[in-house]
Amino acid sequence: MAAVLGLPAGAAAQVAATLEKKRRPVLVWLELQDCAGNTESMLRSSHPSITELVLSFFSWEYHETIMAAAGKQANAVLDRVVHEDAGKYLAIVEGSIPTGNPGYCTIGGRSALDIAKQVCGNAAAVIAVGSCAFDGGPQRSAPNPTGAISVGEAVPNLNLVNMGGCPHNPANTAALLVYWLTYGRMPALDAHKRPLFAYGHIIHDQCERRANFDAGRFVERWDDDGARRGYCLYKMGCKGPQGTFNCPVVRWNDGTSWPVESGHGCAACASYRFWDTALPLYQRLPGVPGFGVDITAGKIGGWMTAGVATGLALHGIASAARSQMRPRGEAPRGGPTEIGRGSGLVEREGPPEKS
Ligand code: SF4
Ligand code: SF4
């Protein structure tokens, strides 16, 4: 866990000592306009396991999918937490917040927006897991019939951490929870309020196929010799140079593998508004000249982000896409972000949320 967080070697003992104290802060998990994919992902947390998180490290009081209570009994639990533990509990939110129709997505007769305002507004800190809670997700793409917005937009001025991804990676969220238990605060964040330990490096810089990219060896068809040899998937639509995430390092299913190792390109699912900026999935983004040994990930990321700006403009949100290239170490504009530190240049994926 200390390694995932990028903490120095001595910190592991402090993390272990904290977990042994079993202070058990209260935690609630809301599922709003969601598919439960982030819950499914969290159930596969292994270090610590979901059982340890729910029963030992936290008092995990409310989570529709896994709690025994239902109906009025469940609502009473959430009410009690909000009133008796105000300002002390953690709230995790999965799903976007629909605002387009007051009767849409209600729980116990209350709208998702009303629940989010009350539960998040009284929490010590809020963790938005998955693409939908982070930025509105696919529901937010035009025409956005439900008026979906992110948690940060629905309830401004929260002590908010965004764990983007589709779904979030449970190893990172478990690490974030352990960090909060250990240090009593949230770790350093980027301009999108994502923790730098998980979102601070470009995927392309951590990919085991990177040597093939640099050497100009690419998969040209799904069944060609390059595919069998593990060549770079950039020409097959991989968006790894565009996104920042530690997916190649923490991987999935207890660190077994990740999609690019399995032969599929990355969709940059942890990036801001990736449903609008990184698709079509199998289409190589245009305007990336001369990729090969003389091109850095930062340059590729810049061209790609410039390309997706056109797509965002078509969705009527052109102001939401400005890629900025800065020399390493230079202070970013509009926030403390430093992402893409592994490359020679630093990249931003888009504007921070207003909250
Ligand atoms: S383009 Fe994709 S497959 Fe190729 S090196 Fe980058 S992240 Fe890996
Ligand atoms: S490979 Fe890319 S799209 Fe797939 S889970 Fe990892 S970061 Fe997300």
Side-chain angles (χ1 to χ4, degrees), residues 29 38-45 50 53 168 170 173-174 177:
W29 180 299
N38 293 284
T39 289
E40 289 288 348
S41 187
M42 198 69 212
L43 293 178
R44 284 149 187 80
S45 173
I50 186 68
L53 285 168
H168 74 132
T173 302
L177 291 172

Side-chain angles (χ1 to χ4, degrees), residues 113-132:
L113 181 60
D114 188 36
I115 294 169
K117 281 180 176 172
Q118 186 198 35
V119 175
C120 298
N122 283 291
V126 177
I127 304 170
V129 292
S131 169
C132 303

Side-chain angles (χ1 to χ4, degrees), residues 206-226:
Q206 308 164 77
C207 178
E208 64 266 30
R209 296 182 187 235
R210 175 61 185 269
N212 289 306
F213 176 92
D214 290 341
R217 293 189 291 261
F218 297 96
V219 176
E220 306 280 350
R221 288 193 326 272
W222 290 116
D223 59 348
D224 70 6
D225 192 50

